Each structure stands twice: as C-alpha cells, then as structure tokens.
C-alpha cells in the first residue's frame, strides 16, 4: 500500500468513526425524545396534579418538578435540604434547591465529580458510609456545620437500608416539612416488605433492595406524615406533615391511585450532560 492509498484508508476510517459517533448521538437523542413523550403521557394520565408537575432538570427522573410544586404549595421558598445518598453530585434530588438559593447538606459514600471549596457556605458534603447506628451523629454534625437547627426537606436514596435510616431519623425527632423516600416499586400496596437490616449492605442490582411503599407509609403515618405523591418511575415517595394537607386537597387519598410500580430502567437526558463546572458556579464562599 502506497502513501496515497494509506491516506485514503485512514481518512475513510476517521470519517467512518465520526459518522458512527454522530449517528449514536442522534439515536440517543431520538430515544430521549421518545422516552420524554412516554413520561409525559404517564403524567398526563395521572389523577394526581403533583405528578403532572413532574419535571427533570438535575434529578434522575421527574423529582425536581414534584419537589418544586410541593414546596410552592406549603410556602417554602428557601430553607435547608439534607440528602442522604447523592451519587457523584451531578444528579440528585437537592441540586435544584441549591440553585434556588437553599443551603444543602449531602452525606454519601461516593466521590464528588467537582471540587467543593473548604469555605463553601451553601453546600456541605460528608463522605461517609451511612448506617442506622451513625446517621443521627452525622446528620447532627452536618446541621451544626451551617448553624442550622434542622432541615426543611430530607431526601433518602440509599438503595438499601433506607427504611431503617428513616425510622432512626424520626425516632430522633427529625421532622422536616417534606420527606422524599426511595421505595421498592416491585411491591404494590398493601404489601409490607423490607430487606433485613445489614449495616454493610450494598445493592446488587436485584429486587432485594429497600422496602415497599406500604412499609414507608406505615412508618410515616405513625410520625404524622401523609403520602401525597409517587414519581412516575416508581422510585420515590413524597410525604408532607398531616397539618399541611389543606394545601393538597386536590391530591388523591387512595394509595392505589398514588402508587406507581417500578418503571425505572428508563433514563433520559434533558439538554446537555451536567458539567461539574455548572455546579461549581452555584457555590458560595464564606468570607
């Protein structure tokens, strides 16, 4: 093969690779559009107005929109959000609140994908493995780091011992306005089921994970909370204090109407991928 033939071969190879990448991106975009239409149809068919408010910005699914609407109804424009289990920090339930001016506390075992300044005043992160034995101490330390007495919203997404952590927080008197709790959507109400507690449990991608929605409802009801929404992928349940129910008179009360079964092997991207630099732009530095 002479130099001209080699050049032509390399050029075809390079062009082919570029075309393949472009076609894959185009295919992914079409899949994202189809999936978003699928979710829109599910939301539109729901009798729950909170579900119809669902939207994805920085949450994994439609949790952002639901959280924003719940907070609007109870009149909370700013506050403190605590999230247990935040992944790499680029996709979770409290990023949107950080951007809306809330102070946010994160506890999780993953490394963040961006640099968090030591003197950051609106976001604190504790990299620790969370158990029911240490969660209260860690939560108290996180709140103390920003001189906060408590959180206004707590989100628990640990893919495992969530129900046990929830019980520990409630027993210790942590009563935010809103709880967002992950549930195992494979078990419809009134099925009561939870994994056996294991402080070292790590999810293996099977259905042996977390607890059923009914388990969470039972625990939350005894603490004075009421279920007002489940998101369309059957992953997260949203609870508010029972004395706030007058703000949710249009929300169904039948658990079967509120429940969404597991439909979370679908993920789509809205806009471009989240850059760590995007998150860093919202961080505030103490003087």
């Amino acid at each position: 093969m002479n130099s001209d033939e080699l050049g032509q071969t390399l050029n075809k190879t390079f062009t082919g690779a570029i075309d393949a990448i472009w076609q894959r991106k185009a295919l992914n975009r079409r899949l994202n559009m189809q999936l978003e239409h699928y979710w829109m149809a599910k939301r539109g068919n729901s009798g729950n107005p909170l579900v119809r408010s669902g939207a994805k910005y920085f949450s994994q699914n439609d949790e952002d929109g639901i959280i924003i609407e719940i907070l609007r109804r109870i009149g909370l424009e700013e506050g403190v959000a605590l999230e247990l289990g935040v992944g790499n920090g680029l996709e979770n339930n409290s990023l949107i609140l950080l951007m809306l001016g809330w102070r946010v506390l994160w506890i999780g075992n993953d490394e963040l994908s961006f640099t968090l300044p030591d003197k950051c005043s609106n976001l604190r992160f504790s990299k620790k493995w969370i158990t029911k034995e240490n969660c209260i101490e860690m939560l108290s330390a996180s709140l103390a780091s920003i001189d906060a007495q408590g959180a206004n919203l707590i989100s628990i997404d640990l893919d495992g011992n969530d129900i046990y952590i929830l019980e520990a927080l409630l027993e210790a008197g942590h009563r935010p306005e809103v709880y967002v709790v992950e549930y195992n959507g494979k078990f419809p109400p009134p099925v009561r089921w939870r994994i056996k507690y294991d402080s070292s449990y790590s999810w293996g991608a099977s259905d042996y994970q977390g607890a059923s929605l009914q388990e969470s409802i039972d625990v939350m009801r005894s603490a004075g909370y009421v279920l007002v929404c489940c998101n369309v992928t059957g992953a997260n349940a949203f609870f508010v204090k029972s004395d706030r129910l007058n703000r949710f008179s249009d929300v169904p009360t039948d658990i079967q109407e509120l429940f969404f079964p597991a439909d979370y092997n679908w993920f789509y991207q809205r806009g471009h991928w989240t850059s760590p630099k995007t998150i860093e732009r919202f961080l505030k530095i103490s003087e």
Side-chain angles (χ1 to χ4, degrees):
M1 180 182 295
N2 58 40
S3 58
D4 289 339
E5 291 174 334
L6 177 60
Q8 292 175 0
T9 299
L10 290 175
N11 183 61
K12 288 181 180 180
T13 301
F14 177 76
T15 302
I18 294 298
D19 287 344
I21 293 172
W22 177 256
Q23 289 173 12
R24 181 174 180 179
K25 287 185 175 181
L27 175 61
N28 286 341
R29 179 54 189 153
R30 287 194 292 271
L31 291 174
N32 281 333
M33 293 172 64
Q34 291 176 1
L35 184 53
E36 184 163 11
H37 287 308
Y38 167 68
W39 278 9
M40 288 173 63
K42 285 189 71 173
R43 287 196 294 265
N45 291 331
S46 172
N48 189 344
L50 296 179
V51 173
R52 296 197 296 271
S53 297
K56 172 185 173 71
Y57 301 109
F58 292 93
S59 55
Q60 188 174 54
N61 307 296
D62 56 338
E63 295 88 354
D64 283 338
I66 296 171
I67 288 172
I68 290 171
E69 175 60 14
I70 289 175
L71 295 176
R72 185 194 68 80
R73 288 181 179 226
I74 62 179
L76 264 180
E77 295 183 359
E78 291 186 2
V80 175
L82 171 73
E83 185 157 10
L84 307 180
V86 297
N88 64 8
L90 300 183
E91 183 181 80
N92 55 50
N93 290 336
S94 55
L95 265 174
I96 192 67
L97 298 180
L98 176 73
M99 297 176 182
L100 289 171
W102 284 52
R103 291 184 294 166
V104 175
L105 303 170
W106 287 349
I107 303 175
N109 196 52
D110 295 317
E111 296 284 352
L112 296 184
S113 291
F114 58 90
T115 301
L116 186 61
D118 292 336
K119 294 185 177 181
C120 182
S121 61
N122 61 337
L123 176 63
R124 298 292 172 86
F125 172 63
S126 296
K127 185 182 182 303
K128 293 182 180 179
W129 183 262
I130 306 167
T131 68
K132 71 176 183 179
E133 291 82 13
N134 68 15
C135 64
I136 303 304
E137 180 182 354
M138 288 194 293
L139 188 149
S140 298
S142 293
L143 289 170
S145 71
I146 60 169
D147 295 322
Q149 297 299 312
N152 302 100
L153 179 145
I154 294 179
S155 176
I156 306 174
D157 185 354
L158 299 172
D159 298 329
N161 290 316
D162 307 60
I163 193 73
Y164 297 101
I165 305 301
L166 175 62
E167 289 176 327
L169 296 184
L170 292 171
E171 185 178 346
H174 290 284
R175 298 288 198 276
E177 294 286 342
V178 181
Y179 262 107
V180 184
V181 182
E182 183 182 51
Y183 69 94
N184 190 327
K186 194 168 185 177
F187 303 96
V191 175
R192 291 176 171 87
W193 180 90
R194 63 172 69 185
I195 65 171
K196 182 179 180 180
Y197 180 70
D198 177 358
S199 61
S200 61
Y201 171 87
S202 180
W203 183 43
S206 75
D207 63 358
Y208 187 74
Q209 169 261 325
S212 66
L213 179 64
Q214 189 67 58
E215 284 279 333
S216 294
I217 290 173
D218 293 345
V219 169
M220 296 302 282
R221 181 184 292 132
S222 65
Y225 286 85
V226 178
L227 176 71
V228 293
C229 190
C230 293
N231 82 304
V232 292
T233 60
N236 284 290
F238 301 79
F239 296 88
V240 300
K241 289 182 176 179
S242 57
D243 61 5
R244 296 289 194 174
L245 268 183
N246 62 321
R247 309 291 180 90
F248 300 90
S249 58
D250 55 342
V251 170
T253 57
D254 187 341
I255 296 173
Q256 298 298 337
E257 287 188 60
L258 294 171
F259 171 73
F260 273 98
D263 192 17
Y264 37 64
N265 286 324
W266 302 84
F267 303 99
Y268 78 91
Q269 177 184 333
R270 168 164 285 179
H272 299 296
W273 292 109
T274 300
S275 167
K277 293 182 179 179
T278 300
I279 311 304
E280 291 171 358
R281 288 288 295 164
F282 285 94
L283 304 180
K284 298 177 182 178
I285 310 300
S286 300
E287 296 297 333

